[in-house]
Every structure is written in C-alpha cells, then in structure tokens.
Amino acid sequence: MQKIQRNTYTTTDALADGFANYAAEVLRTALTRQQTASLVVPGGSTPRAYLPALAAQTLPWQRITITLSDERWVDTGLHDSNEHLVRTCLLKRLNVQPHFTGLKTPHEKPEAAIPEIEQRLKTLPQPFTLTVLGLGEDGHIASLFPGLKLHEATHSSAEQRCIAVYPPVAPSPRVSLSLDALAGSAQIALVATGKVKRQLLDRLKDDADPAIPLVWLLQHARTPVAVFETS
Ligand SMILES: O=C1O[C@H](COP(=O)(O)O)[C@@H](O)[C@H](O)[C@H]1O
C-alpha cells in the first residue's frame, strides 16, 4: 500500500486536532486557487471525535460546500442519520454556514432517489477538493461494503456519482458515493480509530485483499490517501 501516508496519534483528541489542521490547510490552499471548494465527510461514530475540532478552524465556510460520503436511508432527524451527525457535530457549531448538500430524499427506496441526488451533486465543485472517509472494521468505506462487486462500486460516469446499496450486514439501505467519485477527489483522508482498524491497515499493507473496498480506493485514488489513526 504505497498510496497511503499514515499519521498516528496517541489520543483521539490529538488525532482530532491533527486531522482538523490538515483538513483546514487543504481547504485554505485550494481556496487560494479557486473560488469555491467541496468537502465530503463520512457518517458513523468516528466523526463525532473530530468534526468539532474542524468546526473550531477559521475558514471561509461560505465558500465551501459540504456533502456526505454516504447516507443511511433513515429520517434525517434520527441519530443514525449521517446528515444528522454532520448537522450536530459541525454545522451547528459554525457561525458562518457552508452550503450543505444532503443525500437523503423523501423517496421510499434509495434507488428511486438517485436521479435527484445526482442533480444535487452536480452543483458541487468537482473533483471534490477533500474527501474524508471512515473505515469499517470489515474494510468498508462510505457505504461500499465487502461483498459488493468492484464493477457495482464503480458504476459511475461523469453524470453518475452515487449508487444505492443494500448491505447485508447493515440495518438500513444506503446510498453511497461511487468508488470513482471518491477516488477522483483531489485529496483523500481516512480517519480510523481503534486497534481493529489499525490491524486491518497493517494487514492490508502486505496483502492487498481484492475483496476489501479500502483496497479498491487505494488502487484507484489519484493521490496518496492521508490516514489519521490512533496507536
Ligand atoms: O456506516 C458507516 O460506517 C463507516 C465507518 O463508521 P464508524 O462508525 O466505524 O466510524 C462510515 O465511514 C460511513 O460513513 C457510515 O455510514
């Protein structure tokens, strides 16, 4: 895994600060070259530790559009919703509001929502300026889970950045940015805490297991992936 740069911290607080400094620098640098920037953030539990640190950074947030790497097909008012997480841990803490593009629609099934989501995503600065991803203990990124076929995950074109997924292990259906949309980002960061994820990263260093979506990302990414992890 040469396309990976690991930054290891002894505490979650130190990781949060290290990540927030990195993300702010990437966005600031991009905004010296372009008028607007896009930031993709994940859901799950890990961002609760570092999104508040990112919110404390001084940035021209009104020039930044934030979207999600993936969304669970649940009401956005629920704790499980990735949009709910981002609103609570990031947006509510900012005095100046960025643009926010959520992925949930009122459609009953995620596949019916894809055309509307594609319309929303089209308006974001592309390629994404910075994509931040979490890592599942099974190696999933966004909502691209092991078991999905590579061609299903890359099921995209310039017009097609999002896919509907029914992960066998998750309680709700999902939508996820496609592998191409994620891997095409100008910069990619992966934030992973805990022993199991560290061991997974160690293992993948020597064994690029083709069943693991993180491996697909590393193989398709345009730039090295900056990993922020705890020891
Ligand atoms: O379900 C999800 O899981 C991953 C990893 O989440 P974590 O709880 O282990 O931090 C997350 O990146 C993804 O966005 C989310 O929908």
Side-chain angles (χ1 to χ4, degrees), residues 33-92:
R33 295 189 301 261
Q34 58 199 60
Q35 193 46 39
T36 56
S38 47
L39 170 65
V40 177
V41 291
S45 53
T46 311
R48 291 184 194 283
Y50 63 80
L51 287 182
L54 183 58
Q57 292 281 333
T58 304
L59 279 165
W61 287 106
Q62 73 284 1
R63 292 169 60 195
I64 299 171
T65 301
I66 298 177
T67 192
L68 296 161
S69 63
D70 62 310
E71 183 58 288
R72 293 117 180 241
W73 216 246
V74 298
D75 190 280
T76 55
L78 295 178
H79 183 264
D80 252 14
S81 151
N82 289 344
E83 177 170 335
H84 183 264
L85 165 86
V86 172
R87 289 195 182 281
T88 313
C89 297
L90 181 60
L91 303 184
K92 277 194 181 157

Side-chain angles (χ1 to χ4, degrees), residues 50-215:
Y50 63 80
L51 287 182
L54 183 58
Q57 292 281 333
T58 304
L59 279 165
W61 287 106
Q62 73 284 1
R63 292 169 60 195
I64 299 171
T65 301
I66 298 177
T67 192
L68 296 161
S69 63
D70 62 310
E71 183 58 288
R72 293 117 180 241
W73 216 246
V74 298
D75 190 280
T76 55
L78 295 178
H79 183 264
D80 252 14
S81 151
N82 289 344
E83 177 170 335
H84 183 264
L85 165 86
V86 172
R87 289 195 182 281
T88 313
C89 297
L90 181 60
L91 303 184
K92 277 194 181 157
R93 293 164 188 259
L94 297 173
N95 293 328
V96 177
Q97 284 302 296
H99 301 274
F100 176 72
T101 301
L103 301 182
K104 180 72 171 65
T105 72
H107 295 90
E108 195 187 330
K109 296 193 169 181
E111 55 271 32
I114 298 298
E116 182 173 330
I117 298 171
E118 296 293 354
Q119 286 303 318
R120 293 183 190 180
L121 291 173
K122 239 180 161 158
T123 64
L124 268 75
Q126 313 269 340
F128 301 127
T129 311
L130 172 62
T131 288
V132 185
L133 295 170
L135 176 65
E137 292 185 350
D138 58 357
H140 80 265
I141 48 161
S143 280
L144 306 179
F145 285 79
L148 201 67
K149 302 273 186 294
L150 178 59
H151 75 267
E152 294 164 338
T154 46
H155 175 60
S156 71
S157 67
E159 306 307 315
Q160 213 172 16
R161 300 177 179 90
C162 191
I163 60 172
V165 269
Y166 286 81
V169 291
S172 53
R174 315 271 186 114
V175 290
S176 180
L177 296 190
S178 69
L179 182 66
D180 287 351
L182 297 170
S185 306
Q187 299 288 336
I188 303 173
L190 182 91
V191 186
T193 55
K195 191 172 161 196
V196 176
K197 294 178 187 180
R198 180 162 42 81
Q199 287 174 339
L200 177 63
L201 287 163
D202 287 344
R203 178 167 71 79
L204 294 180
K205 196 168 54 179
D206 306 317
D207 166 23
D209 183 342
I212 303 287
L214 172 61
V215 171

Side-chain angles (χ1 to χ4, degrees), residues 210-227:
I212 303 287
L214 172 61
V215 171
W216 303 342
L217 178 80
L218 297 172
Q219 288 170 343
H220 288 77
R222 287 169 39 179
T223 55
V225 174
V227 174

